[in-house]
Amino acid sequence: MLKAILVDDEPLVRKRLKSLVDWCAEGFVLEGEAEDGEEGLALALETKPDLILADIRMPAFSGLELIKMLKAPLPEACFIILSGYSEFSYAKQALQMGVISYLLKPVDADELAEALGLARNKLAASEGMKAMKQEADKARRDKWAQSVLDGANTPIIEEFAQSLGIDLAKSRFGVLAAELNGLDERTDEDEISAVMERAEEAAIAAAGENGFVLRRGLWGWTVLHISCDPSAFPEAARAIKSAIEKSSSLICTIGVSQAAEGISLAKGLKKEAESALEARFMLGEGKIIGMDDFHMPQESWNEVFSLNSQELTQAMENNLPEEVAGEIGKLFDFLRAKQVSLAMAQSIVIERIVSASRLVSKLEGNARQALGGRDPWDELKQKKSLASMRQWMTGICLGVTEYIAKLRRSRASKVSAKVKELVHARYSEDVTLKSISREVYMNPVYLGQVFKSETGVTFNDYLTATRIGQASSLLADSDIPVNEIAEKVGYMSPGNFFKAFKKLRGCTPSDYRLMSRGQA
């Protein structure tokens, strides 16, 4: 994201510029604002912005003088000059100094957006945008690798491989499914993001040019590795595991597929790696697990394939403990009727436990916590009868059901608290449920339902109550005109403010001010 600052001695102009366009959508983040040339110079030298929007006439020194001072320390920066009609004679001089655009006040939204587009295009062509090019290159590599893992095999796939210097005909392919262990839903989101970013950078460096690292879920990655050397694949797995653990100070588990020739096999290799990673529930975390490290019974699975575990996982997800116990009962009645072997029964049960763990992961919970920190495979191996196995599985699944219910309550409470925090911080701005939903990564309709369920009021009612509460304090404790108070608490229309205030307080703002001072 490109950085921009505003330099203008008129607060209302700065406020209008900030709200006139969606700066993020235009590719910019506002790093700060200054009210005169001297403050603007200090702010620019501190934040090193890519774009400076400056008034042509300001205290201390003008916008043109500011440009002259910043040309040397910020040679790649773009400038947009703001001016009233009376200063239009300066336009020629400004354009001669390399100003990207000269905008007349009051600034029009379309004109500002066009000027930002010009600045963005100029910056994109400059030396300072190498990082964006690298990011775009990585995005193309990732898209290609994802297409390979999804089973695509087209001329475009081969052409891109050739551009990377990869000979698909002579290469061997392997897939790793890596997961970072030790983070859970109680960990701060910023901490998770920082840890994952460091670990991913380390994994990319360790994977090398022929390793393609793709994010997998919340705490993991899928790595497509391509090499002509058969020994390179296990070495890459060890290097990636070591790099991730060193960068994160946490343990990493990696599921490893076999190495195979032929790009068409990549999709199957991905499934192998994911299956191997799932075996961490049997073999433990912090290991590199290959297909030969765990054994599944080789008995006939024809009738087992007819079994459906969806009803059990849905009952756990919907917090229906009686249905959970009932579905487990049906499963064991089936196993008893078919007289399956102990080994096959264990495999069927562990597959349901893995499905329950997947459900928890899908809901962004911690599977090990949901299982009570237990080792399911070790415990299951101790069960030598269907009765004891059924009792054990029922306890596990009811525990997962309770965990999911608590997880959802906790998430709803945290999200609602975050929404309240954002409302109190931004009630003076054009804040909406949709804008807040983007910050908490939740669908706005669902967010509204969660918020009302937790607080008993709608988002709009809570926002209105917050604004009117702040307005009431200002009316009681200051002599600020009512229209200015309306704007301070987020109302651009005084009429809407008066209507909302009277609805909540039962009187007009002016009457409330008098009553609060005992003058009514």
Side-chain angles (χ1 to χ4, degrees):
M1 191 74 71
L2 299 168
K3 298 187 293 185
I5 63 170
L6 305 177
V7 187
D8 196 295
D9 60 332
E10 297 181 69
L12 291 179
V13 171
R14 297 197 304 271
K15 184 175 182 179
R16 174 175 167 78
L17 287 171
K18 288 190 289 185
S19 61
L20 204 55
V21 296
D22 185 341
W23 286 83
C24 288
E26 294 294 339
F28 292 87
V29 58
L30 289 173
E31 287 291 315
E33 53 185 285
E35 62 183 16
D36 60 40
E38 186 174 0
E39 283 189 12
L41 177 62
L43 179 62
L45 293 176
E46 177 187 352
T47 60
K48 294 180 172 52
D50 303 290
L51 174 66
I52 296 101
L53 289 83
D55 191 5
I56 203 163
R57 283 189 175 179
M58 297 180 292
F61 42 81
S62 71
L64 296 180
E65 292 173 314
L66 178 62
I67 293 173
K68 291 178 182 178
M69 295 177 184
L70 291 175
K71 277 294 184 180
L74 299 175
E76 301 294 340
C78 288
F79 298 85
I80 294 176
I81 284 293
L82 311 172
S83 171
Y85 284 103
S86 59
E87 294 98 11
F88 191 71
S89 58
Y90 292 112
K92 183 176 180 180
Q93 183 182 354
L95 295 174
Q96 288 174 342
M97 296 175 67
V99 170
I100 199 74
S101 188
Y102 191 103
L103 302 180
L104 297 178
K105 298 178 182 179
V107 178
D108 178 75
D110 291 337
E111 291 178 346
L112 178 57
E114 182 180 357
L116 293 177
L118 292 173
R120 189 172 59 248
N121 291 339
K122 182 179 179 181
L123 290 165
S126 71
E127 187 68 20
M129 298 307 295
K130 284 183 179 179
M132 288 186 65
K133 181 180 182 302
Q134 291 172 351
E135 187 175 333
D137 289 343
K138 182 181 183 304
R140 286 193 291 271
R141 281 171 55 90
D142 289 351
K143 184 177 180 180
W144 178 83
Q146 188 62 63
S147 297
V148 171
L149 292 170
D150 289 342
N153 190 5
T154 65
I156 295 177
I157 295 291
E158 186 170 350
E159 289 172 10
F160 192 82
Q162 290 175 352
S163 72
L164 297 175
I166 299 173
D167 187 343
L168 297 180
K170 297 180 180 179
S171 297
R172 292 174 67 84
F173 299 84
V175 178
L176 312 176
E179 182 179 87
L180 201 57
N181 308 124
L183 293 170
D184 57 46
E185 73 279 358
R186 296 174 299 177
T187 306
D188 180 75
E189 290 183 7
D190 291 337
E191 181 183 348
I192 291 176
S193 178
V195 168
M196 291 299 291
E197 185 174 337
R198 290 197 305 272
E200 185 165 327
E201 288 175 357
I204 290 172
E209 282 297 314
N210 289 346
F212 299 81
V213 181
L214 307 176
R215 183 64 68 90
R216 177 182 180 274
L218 188 62
W219 299 318
W221 304 269
T222 298
V223 182
L224 172 64
H225 194 271
I226 305 173
S227 176
C228 296
D229 181 5
S231 65
F233 186 45
E235 289 176 4
R238 289 190 290 270
I240 291 171
K241 181 177 186 296
S242 175
I244 289 175
E245 292 181 338
K246 185 176 180 180
S247 68
S248 65
S249 299
L250 296 168
I251 62 173
C252 174
T253 307
I254 295 184
V256 182
S257 77
Q258 301 177 68
E261 296 179 359
I263 196 171
S264 61
L265 300 176
K267 185 175 183 179
L269 296 177
K270 177 187 174 186
K271 291 181 179 179
E272 280 189 11
E274 291 173 346
S275 296
L277 179 62
E278 288 171 3
R280 69 195 180 283
F281 294 107
M282 299 179 252
L283 303 177
E285 297 173 343
K287 300 177 181 178
I288 297 177
I289 305 172
M291 296 301 292
D292 296 332
D293 294 327
F294 63 99
H295 172 73
M296 297 296 284
Q298 298 300 311
E299 300 178 42
S300 172
W301 288 86
N302 292 339
E303 290 189 274
V304 175
F305 286 150
S306 66
L307 293 175
N308 189 342
S309 62
Q310 288 185 347
E311 287 82 0
L312 176 59
T313 53
Q314 287 175 357
M316 287 189 284
E317 185 173 5
N318 295 328
N319 191 25
L320 300 171
E322 291 185 2
E323 289 191 19
V324 170
E327 289 299 324
I328 293 173
K330 291 179 185 178
L331 171 64
F332 279 89
D333 288 343
F334 173 88
L335 298 179
R336 182 175 290 104
K338 296 301 177 183
Q339 297 182 340
V340 300
S341 68
L342 179 61
M344 180 172 279
Q346 288 176 333
S347 297
I348 293 170
V349 168
I350 203 66
E351 191 275 333
R352 264 87 184 146
I353 301 302
V354 169
S355 295
S357 300
R358 286 176 180 159
L359 172 61
V360 172
S361 297
K362 183 188 78 172
L363 299 174
E364 298 186 356
N366 183 282
R368 182 163 288 279
Q369 285 188 357
L371 297 173
R374 299 148 77 176
D375 187 332
W377 186 243
D378 278 349
E379 290 187 8
L380 182 58
K381 286 189 296 184
Q382 306 304 316
K383 311 304 175 186
K384 302 302 181 183
S385 69
L386 285 178
S388 61
M389 198 180 295
R390 173 178 176 172
Q391 183 180 8
W392 173 84
M393 181 180 176
T394 301
I396 288 282
C397 291
L398 289 177
V400 171
T401 303
E402 183 179 358
Y403 175 90
I404 290 173
K406 289 181 179 178
L407 178 66
R408 284 185 159 165
R409 289 194 296 269
S410 173
R411 286 285 165 81
S413 177
K414 288 179 182 178
V415 167
S416 296
K418 181 66 174 179
V419 171
K420 289 182 178 180
E421 177 185 332
L422 292 172
V423 166
H424 282 278
R426 302 177 186 172
Y427 64 85
S428 62
E429 304 171 9
D430 184 22
V431 61
T432 64
L433 183 62
K434 187 175 181 179
S435 66
I436 285 182
S437 70
R438 290 193 290 267
E439 296 199 38
V440 298
Y441 307 103
M442 189 176 285
N443 177 278
V445 175
Y446 182 63
L447 176 59
Q449 295 170 348
V450 168
F451 186 82
K452 185 174 182 181
S453 175
E454 281 293 307
T455 64
V457 296
T458 66
F459 170 83
N460 286 334
D461 287 345
Y462 186 84
L463 175 60
T464 299
T466 301
R467 285 172 165 169
I468 299 305
Q470 295 295 326
S472 300
S473 297
L474 291 172
L475 288 166
D477 301 333
S478 74
D479 294 318
I480 300 173
V482 172
N483 283 1
E484 288 186 25
I485 290 177
E487 186 175 346
K488 282 181 176 292
V489 299
Y491 286 93
M492 296 300 103
S493 167
N496 290 341
F497 171 66
F498 275 67
K499 182 178 179 181
F501 192 97
K502 190 169 184 180
K503 182 178 179 180
L504 283 185
R505 294 290 185 260
C507 61
T508 67
S510 298
D511 289 341
Y512 183 89
R513 171 170 274 169
L514 293 174
M515 287 188 292
S516 68
R517 300 178 181 184
Q519 299 175 6

